[in-house]
Amino acid sequence: RKIQEEHLKNIGRLYEAGKIDLAGPFGDDTDWRGVFVFNVPTQEEVEKLLQTDAAISSGRLSYIIHPWLSEKGSILR
């Protein structure tokens, strides 16, 4: 429970810092639990930011990184 609380707090902190544009869990029960869309220039920065997440640093969650590009100003509806 504490790890989950810290996980959610970290997501909020990264969002407020402008490092994450989108985050959330998937609605089905698979090995993929959720997604983060980071807004940072390098994969190395993504990896460093992921280690600030208690769910990842504790080993409860793992990650894979896929670079994703969109046009400036794109929005989800």
Side-chain angles (χ1 to χ4, degrees):
R1 183 181 213 183
K2 176 119 173 97
I3 290 173
Q4 182 66 14
E5 289 172 5
E6 291 178 20
H7 169 68
L8 294 174
K9 186 186 294 186
N10 191 61
I11 291 169
R13 182 184 66 77
L14 293 173
Y15 177 79
E16 291 299 322
K19 303 294 184 176
I20 281 183
D21 287 340
L22 176 76
F26 292 125
D28 53 1
D29 189 23
T30 68
D31 289 341
W32 289 44
R33 307 307 298 169
V35 64
F36 293 152
V37 175
F38 285 92
N39 187 1
V40 297
T42 67
Q43 181 170 327
E44 291 78 16
E45 186 172 355
V46 170
E47 290 175 1
K48 286 179 185 176
L49 293 171
L50 286 168
Q51 292 309 309
T52 67
D53 189 302
I56 291 171
S57 63
S58 71
R60 186 170 74 84
L61 296 177
S62 61
Y63 64 89
I64 57 172
I65 298 172
H66 292 278
W68 181 62
L69 305 172
S70 66
E71 288 191 37
K72 188 172 181 88
S74 295
I75 59 172
L76 297 172
R77 295 178 189 230

